[in-house]
């Protein structure tokens, strides 16, 4: 099945998956104290969990903004992010933001996700952003996998800081499926 032939029900699965990952992100943040949320310290993790949360939410925001863009072909720009924002300092705000973004993702129109989008992304710091063709569903799936990857990093950091995490947090769907087969 080609990219243009994707059904709206298939496209909806990408938004459901991303909404689920945002729910898991919310759950992770809930398990942390304010100090654990903002503290760095684990060897190899120069950024606190709060920075990873901001990074994930930034990707969701870029996706949502690009998908509501009124241009004939919408644009998603993942690399234009602001650092040091409120979400990195205020755990309550982070919880509220994750819930809000989850609802926005669930409200995405599945038929619109099959539409084409352009992605502007940097592939090297020495070169300007490049333009790539994609679809809303494909980019929603990308943001889902990106969030799962960061959940794995955050879960390891959270456990190092003394928080108890779900065993499957941050594990990719393919890994979970392989675990079931073994």
């Amino acid at each position: 099945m080609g990219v243009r032939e994707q059904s709206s029900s298939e496209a909806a699965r990408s938004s459901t998956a991303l909404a689920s990952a945002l729910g898991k992100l919310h759950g992770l943040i809930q398990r942390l104290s304010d100090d654990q949320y903002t503290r760095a310290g684990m060897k190899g993790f120069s950024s606190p969990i709060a920075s990873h949360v901001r990074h994930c939410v930034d990707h969701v925001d870029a996706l949502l903004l690009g998908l509501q863009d009124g241009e004939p072909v919408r644009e998603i720009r993942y690399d234009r992010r602001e650092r040091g924002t409120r979400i990195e300092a205020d755990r309550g705000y982070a919880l509220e933001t994750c819930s809000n973004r989850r609802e926005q993702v669930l409200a995405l129109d599945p038929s619109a996700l099959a539409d084409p989008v352009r992605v502007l992304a940097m592939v090297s710091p020495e070169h300007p952003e490049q333009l790539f063709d994609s679809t809303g569903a494909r980019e929603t799936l990308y943001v889902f996998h990106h969030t799962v990857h960061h959940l794995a990093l955050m879960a390891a950091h959270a456990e190092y800081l003394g928080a108890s995490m779900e065993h499957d947090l941050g594990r990719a769907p393919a890994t979970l499926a392989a675990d079931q087969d073994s």
Side-chain angles (χ1 to χ4, degrees):
M1 179 179 301
V3 171
R4 305 288 262 141
E5 300 165 10
Q6 186 175 45
S7 75
S8 61
S9 64
E10 289 169 325
R13 284 189 215 123
S14 63
S15 57
T16 301
L18 179 54
S20 175
L22 288 167
K24 289 186 179 295
L25 181 60
H26 185 275
L28 179 144
I29 298 166
Q30 280 185 313
R31 292 174 180 251
L32 301 173
S33 68
D34 290 345
D35 179 63
Q36 289 169 323
Y37 180 69
T38 58
R39 185 168 29 126
M42 182 175 172
K43 187 174 182 168
F45 286 77
S46 60
S47 299
I49 291 169
S51 294
H52 288 276
V53 171
R54 188 255 323 141
H55 180 73
C56 290
V57 171
D58 283 349
H59 274 65
V60 173
D61 285 348
L63 174 72
L64 292 169
L65 183 63
L67 291 178
Q68 63 180 261
D69 182 3
E71 296 298 318
V73 177
R74 298 162 299 168
E75 289 185 352
I76 299 171
R77 300 170 179 214
Y78 297 115
D79 295 320
R80 297 183 184 180
R81 300 185 301 269
E82 189 177 336
R83 289 157 176 83
T85 60
R86 180 177 174 193
I87 202 167
E88 292 180 76
D90 184 340
R91 191 175 67 87
Y93 179 72
L95 286 164
E96 180 182 313
T97 301
C98 285
S99 291
N100 175 275
R101 296 312 183 272
R102 183 177 180 280
E103 293 305 315
Q104 289 181 40
V105 166
L106 285 171
L108 288 172
D109 178 1
S111 62
L113 289 175
D115 290 344
V117 297
R118 294 186 300 198
V119 178
L120 275 78
M122 293 183 74
V123 296
S124 166
E126 292 85 29
H127 301 288
E129 291 175 316
Q130 292 184 308
L131 190 60
F132 300 90
D133 292 323
S134 189
T135 66
R138 172 63 191 99
E139 292 311 306
T140 303
L141 186 62
Y142 160 71
V143 175
F144 160 69
H145 278 282
H146 178 265
T147 303
V148 169
H149 165 74
H150 277 275
L151 279 166
L153 296 171
M154 288 183 275
H157 195 166
E159 286 185 354
Y160 172 81
L161 295 172
S164 175
M165 292 290 118
E166 296 175 34
H167 168 70
D168 290 343
L169 189 63
R171 295 175 57 107
T175 303
L176 294 171
D179 288 350
Q180 291 175 355
D181 292 340
S182 53

